[in-house]
Amino acid sequence: PAKAFVTISSGCNNFCSYCIVPYLRGREISRNSAEIIDDVAKLTQKGVIQVTLLGQNVNSYGLDKGDITFPELLKKIARETDIKWIKYLSSHPKDFTDELIEVISSEDKVANYLHLAVQSGSNNVLEKMNRKYKIETYIDKIAKLKKLVPSLNLTTDIIVGFPGETSADFQDTVNLMKTVEFDDAYMYKYNTRENTYSSNNFADDVPDEEKLDRLQTIIDLQIDIRKNKKAGRIGDIFEVIPERKSKNNQNEILGLTKEDLMIIYNSPDFEIGKIVKMKAVKLIGNSLFGERI
Ligand code: SF4
């Protein structure tokens, strides 16, 4: 396989009010950086091209141990191993630093892909969620990164119908989506999760019908934004790892770009373990099509 995952930390210190993870998995514990670098180096010897570093909040990696920070870890992996592409999941906006922005923009091996869960566009809701950032800070950080990395593929998570979310709060989320123009978003309606702070302390007071309406509104909006963003990539050149053959057409290959976009191209050969170069030539529905160059 050309792709592999390496866990860099477990647990989480953040206690978002809707989330059970810190209670189930405990406090954040970072792995030793030398071990992680060794794991990545060994994977490259087996032909791995892309590694995804995993943690509930990779951005706070190393802070518990006083080991190197996450941006330093990325730099070390990029410079001390033969891995070609480095991706990571998940990032918390409050720990997304200028140092990390600098590393993403300057280290070629660090992919121009970021999943940065925003959850809501309303400061009132973010505070109740215990997310510990203001929406203005989130927008500023993204603007800084996009300026340095125009090809960035930015995805997010959004929850609608959080306890106490008013129509005005929801409109803040809609406005945020229009401002930031995420390439893609995972969108949910709030569901009470037992034994979380929010289920114990907040009434689930947005009617289900209203939650579904709000969810549909942002899904429709995101479909339009995604289409425009993908259309804007036509003519761009991509490096691609072939993933699999299409079920319907054996000459069609589905590949993953360094920006974590799926692209379809025609080729009689399925070049396992190679990076192929192509130009995006058209968009059909939600699918980007490329041609080998
Ligand atoms: Fe931690 Fe993520 Fe859960 Fe927040 S949502 S507590 S950052 S795992």
Side-chain angles (χ1 to χ4, degrees):
K3 300 189 302 180
F5 297 90
V6 171
T7 299
I8 64 166
S9 62
S10 59
C12 183
N13 293 344
N14 288 311
F15 294 92
C16 301
S17 61
Y18 51 83
C19 180
I20 197 81
V21 167
Y23 305 101
L24 292 180
R25 308 235 175 114
R27 292 300 181 117
E28 183 174 294
I29 301 173
S30 302
R31 288 183 64 210
N32 181 287
S33 59
E35 275 176 28
I36 296 168
I37 293 163
D38 194 46
D39 281 358
V40 176
K42 283 183 180 140
L43 287 166
T44 62
Q45 284 159 17
K46 293 181 183 161
V48 168
I49 295 171
Q50 169 186 298
V51 71
T52 303
L53 307 175
L54 296 178
Q56 299 294 340
N57 175 18
V58 291
N59 296 160
S60 54
Y61 168 83
L63 301 181
D64 56 325
K65 287 227 162 66
D67 195 345
I68 57 175
T69 62
F70 182 60
E72 286 164 348
L73 178 70
L74 287 174
K75 261 198 253 180
K76 269 182 159 289
I77 295 174
R79 293 173 187 187
E80 294 176 19
T81 76
D82 291 328
I83 199 75
K84 299 260 191 315
W85 299 355
I86 308 166
K87 297 179 183 175
Y88 47 87
L89 281 172
S90 291
S91 291
H92 193 299
K94 82 171 168 44
D95 299 307
F96 191 77
T97 58
D98 281 352
E99 191 190 357
L100 183 52
I101 291 176
E102 201 277 319
V103 169
I104 299 170
S105 64
S106 62
E107 291 292 330
D108 190 45
K109 289 179 172 182
V110 177
N112 293 341
Y113 166 55
L114 175 66
H115 181 80
L116 196 62
V118 68
Q119 306 300 10
S120 171
S122 155
N123 282 329
N124 299 332
V125 176
L126 290 175
E127 199 177 332
K128 279 184 91 172
M129 288 177 165
N130 196 30
R131 293 288 288 173
K132 302 190 186 97
Y133 52 85
K134 296 269 185 226
I135 200 61
E136 294 79 9
T137 318
Y138 183 98
I139 293 170
D140 281 356
K141 287 180 182 182
I142 293 303
K144 237 184 223 176
L145 181 59
K146 276 189 174 178
K147 202 171 166 194
L148 292 171
V149 185
S151 67
L152 181 76
N153 176 24
L154 175 70
T155 61
T156 198
D157 296 332
I158 296 174
I159 299 171
V160 293
F162 191 77
E165 185 189 70
T166 62
S167 305
D169 292 325
F170 173 65
Q171 194 53 47
D172 286 344
T173 298
V174 170
N175 293 343
L176 169 83
M177 291 170 74
K178 289 180 181 169
T179 304
V180 173
E181 297 189 308
F182 297 102
D183 291 82
D184 222 333
Y186 300 88
M187 296 163 280
Y188 313 89
K189 72 180 176 75
Y190 174 76
N191 278 319
T192 306
R193 183 95 197 247
E194 256 181 48
N195 298 324
T196 56
Y197 185 89
S198 63
S199 74
N200 291 339
N201 293 279
F202 305 140
D204 186 7
D205 56 359
V206 180
D208 208 49
E209 212 171 294
E210 182 62 33
K211 285 182 191 170
L212 284 170
D213 264 5
R214 292 179 189 180
L215 183 60
Q216 197 56 54
T217 301
I218 62 167
I219 288 173
D220 291 344
L221 173 61
Q222 186 55 37
I223 287 172
D224 282 350
I225 294 171
R226 184 175 63 192
K227 200 171 169 195
N228 286 338
K229 296 282 293 190
K230 280 200 174 172
R233 295 194 185 264
I234 294 171
D236 289 358
I237 308 294
F238 292 103
E239 289 184 322
V240 173
I241 298 176
E243 285 263 289
R244 60 180 187 272
K245 287 191 174 185
S246 155
K247 280 184 193 140
N248 307 324
N249 179 347
Q250 282 299 292
N251 284 331
E252 240 175 35
I253 312 281
L254 278 72
L256 192 69
T257 75
K258 192 172 172 185
E259 298 77 8
D260 218 62
L261 296 162
M262 196 56 83
I263 193 160
I264 303 170
Y265 62 101
N266 272 301
S267 172
D269 304 318
F270 184 68
E271 296 155 284
I272 295 178
K274 279 198 172 168
I275 293 177
V276 294
K277 246 191 172 180
M278 70 191 57
K279 185 177 183 174
V281 290
K282 62 184 173 186
L283 184 69
I284 300 180
N286 187 32
S287 303
L288 204 54
F289 284 77
E291 269 172 16
R292 290 287 302 269
I293 51 172

